[in-house]
Amino acid sequence: MARHGMFATRDVGSLISGTTEEGTRLKKAVSVRHLTAMGVGAIIGTGIFVVIGEGSRIAGPAVVLSFVLAAVACAFSALSYAELASSIPVSGSAYTYAYATLGEVVAWIIGWDLILEYGVSVAAIALGWGGNLNAFLDAAFGWSLPTAIAASPEDGGIFNLPAVVVVLAITFLLVRGVTESLRVNLVMVVIKLLVLTFFIVVAFANFGTGNFTPFAPHGVDGITSAAAIIFFAYIGFDAVSTGSEEARNPARDLPLAIIGSLVVCTVFYVLTVIGAIGIATPEQMSASDAPLAAALDQGAGLNWAAAVLALGAVVAITSVVLVIFYGQTRIFFAMCRDGLLPRRLAAVNQRYGTPARLTIILGVSISILAAFVPLGTIVELVNIGTLFAFVLVNIGVIVLRRTRPDMPRPYRVPWVPVLPLIGIAFAVYLMADLPLDTWIRFVGWMAVGLLIYFVYGYRHSRLRGSEPRRS
């Protein structure tokens, strides 16, 4: 029965039954191996290959602690994602969880926030892809793309052609099918882990301790400020939850993939950062768009190794674009299916089994953003959007434990509400460390979203019964 009011919630049973409707049914084609590769594929990318330079500029060698702090902040929220993903195996991630726990208007707010997080993140990652492509071309062939077609107007170019190309290529792949897309991602994940292993081995073979002094030139403030930026490097494990509806065994596979991918990536990150500081100064890395390649080239004098790493970074970042963009399409798909955005966009292409029309629209929009917007502005917007989502997911676990205590939970967060409250505290702490300009842009985005909700979403929501369910 439809419930009224903007704080009305969706019953978990109705959310799950809605996934079987003709015309908007997604294929159950994703295994635990693919889900884990999604997590690793989404996490390891621009963050370690690009943002490490900005983090080392802010924190110095203590950027190692910044990576650990960001990982701990993510861990508590990862547990909450694991519980909700296994209990509510529906596309939409935090948007769907908020709909079941906190009400429609909160679900809209988080959904609108996730559109910002995922969509803008894809654009940012695509920009990092272009920077690493140029680093590879320069290291391998002594040639790179001209600035005019490889940078945004603010960075001295006309538009960023490589970023546009990679977004449109991934759009085509996602339209063709989820199975094909995730097979490609699995191959790229194997390559990126091999490349990072290569970097770690080479870095420790040329390791020195001189660059670790002074360890924390900007003190605790520098460590936490860098963690707020480096947090971008861990964004991605939440993308696993967007594959809930297409998972073959979501109750078992989703918690394993979410938590497992975060652990694997944290180990690789810490070893990589220690190795990087051991061969290059923070100044050398922060001055480059491809800091790990710069560490090998300028710090260790290994030009050939820099070329290998730059090529690996291109592959790694392609994988991130694929997974994050996949997550973006599934969140948008869920909002359209619920009537908060035009339902016709939720139509699944019968040949490919994907929301093809929606994917193409998003791909074109994101490619335009990637062509003209600089990386720094984008990263901070992505971070605040993600942290806000983490706050609501942790709240959702606490609320659902009280309102639906008997609901089946294949995975349960231990010590509720203590661990979710710690997750909230970490997220709020890191949000508070972001610049005022970022907060202003975020509030502006939320205001536009609420306007759209009250003008369109509230009146067309299926929860109000304005659009009947399909048989």
Side-chain angles (χ1 to χ4, degrees), residues 143-277:
W143 176 85
S144 58
L145 294 171
T147 302
I149 60 169
S152 66
E154 186 170 314
D155 293 330
I158 299 174
F159 70 101
N160 196 313
L161 179 62
V164 173
V165 170
V166 71
V167 171
L168 293 181
I170 294 300
T171 300
F172 172 77
L173 184 59
L174 287 174
V175 167
R176 290 298 303 270
V178 65
T179 303
E180 294 82 353
S181 300
L182 295 184
R183 283 174 181 165
V184 172
N185 177 64
L186 184 60
V187 173
M188 290 191 289
V189 165
V190 171
I191 293 173
K192 77 166 72 178
L193 291 181
L194 289 174
V195 167
L196 278 184
T197 301
F198 166 80
F199 175 84
I200 293 166
V201 170
V202 171
F204 277 90
N206 295 271
F207 194 84
T209 59
N211 295 332
F212 285 87
T213 305
F215 183 68
H218 305 294
V220 175
D221 286 344
I223 294 171
T224 56
S225 296
I229 298 297
I230 284 167
F231 184 80
F232 180 75
Y234 287 95
I235 292 172
F237 70 84
D238 53 324
V240 176
S241 65
T242 64
S244 298
E245 195 170 319
E246 291 157 286
R248 293 171 185 165
N249 188 353
R252 182 199 67 185
D253 296 348
L254 286 163
L256 286 173
I258 291 171
I259 298 170
S261 61
L262 182 61
V263 170
V264 169
C265 294
T266 300
V267 171
F268 269 93
Y269 275 3
V270 171
L271 290 175
T272 300
V273 174
I274 293 173
I277 297 294

Side-chain angles (χ1 to χ4, degrees), residues 5 50 54 81-82 96 116 142 164 169 171 201 226 242-243 290 324 350 356 414 441 449:
V50 178
E54 178 67 9
Y81 267 99
T96 298
L116 173 75
V164 173
T171 300
V201 170
T242 64
I324 298 297
Q350 295 305 301
R441 294 187 189 103

Side-chain angles (χ1 to χ4, degrees), residues 313-337:
V314 171
V315 175
I317 296 173
T318 306
S319 170
V320 186
V321 175
L322 172 60
V323 177
I324 298 297
F325 190 19
Y326 165 82
Q328 161 80 311
T329 62
R330 291 336 186 239
I331 291 166
F332 211 99
F333 169 80
M335 296 176 73
C336 292
R337 186 169 58 188

